[in-house]
Amino acid sequence: MYLQGAGSTFTITGNSTRLLLEGNSASKGGGLFPTTGTAVSVLSGALVEVKDNTATSHGGGMYLIGAGTTLTVTGNSTHLLLVGNSASFGGGLFSISGAAVSVSSGAVIEAKDNTAFDQGGGMYLIGAGTTLTVTGN
């Protein structure tokens, strides 16, 4: 899934809501690729599974790029699962150039069994302003 353009949003919310991104491939962001200014939100008990995706360069599961790009995972029982993805850099997740990842209020990001052929099997964050914030868990 590719999200482009400031103000674009993708929201998954609610108990028992499930999104599966599985078995996809791309040069970057095999499962999900939000670009500058886009927002991805996993909320209120939702489950997002990003599994067995491949990128030939960066972000097998997810590739986030640019200031204003956000991935927010929040709320009790909310879960983002990154499993079995592969890329040269950031097998599970690759975040660059000011993108922000936030986990809060009992939510969980679980990165397991991902492979990077160079660096960052689970997650790889690089560049000025790029953040990973975990609170209230």
Side-chain angles (χ1 to χ4, degrees):
M1 177 177 291
Y2 181 74
L3 295 171
Q4 181 179 7
S8 295
T9 62
F10 181 53
T11 303
I12 307 92
T13 187
N15 288 325
S16 301
T17 301
R18 178 177 178 241
L19 172 68
L20 175 63
L21 299 169
E22 180 178 20
N24 303 292
S25 62
S27 62
K28 296 178 182 173
L32 182 63
F33 184 174
T35 63
T36 301
T38 59
V40 176
S41 301
V42 184
L43 313 169
S44 304
L47 167 63
V48 174
E49 297 177 80
V50 182
K51 58 193 256 183
D52 300 327
N53 298 290
T54 303
T56 54
S57 65
H58 297 75
M62 299 178 78
Y63 180 93
L64 290 81
I65 185 169
T69 300
T70 60
L71 169 60
T72 303
V73 183
T74 189
N76 286 325
S77 301
T78 304
H79 200 131
L80 171 60
L81 178 62
L82 304 165
V83 64
N85 302 291
S86 62
S88 292
F89 297 90
L93 181 143
F94 185 88
S95 186
I96 189 170
S97 301
V101 178
S102 173
V103 185
S104 64
S105 302
V108 174
I109 291 182
E110 186 175 354
K112 64 182 189 179
D113 299 327
N114 297 292
T115 302
F117 303 110
D118 200 335
Q119 298 173 343
M123 295 183 186
Y124 187 115
L125 286 77
I126 188 171
T130 303
T131 61
L132 170 62
T133 304
V134 180
T135 60
N137 292 334

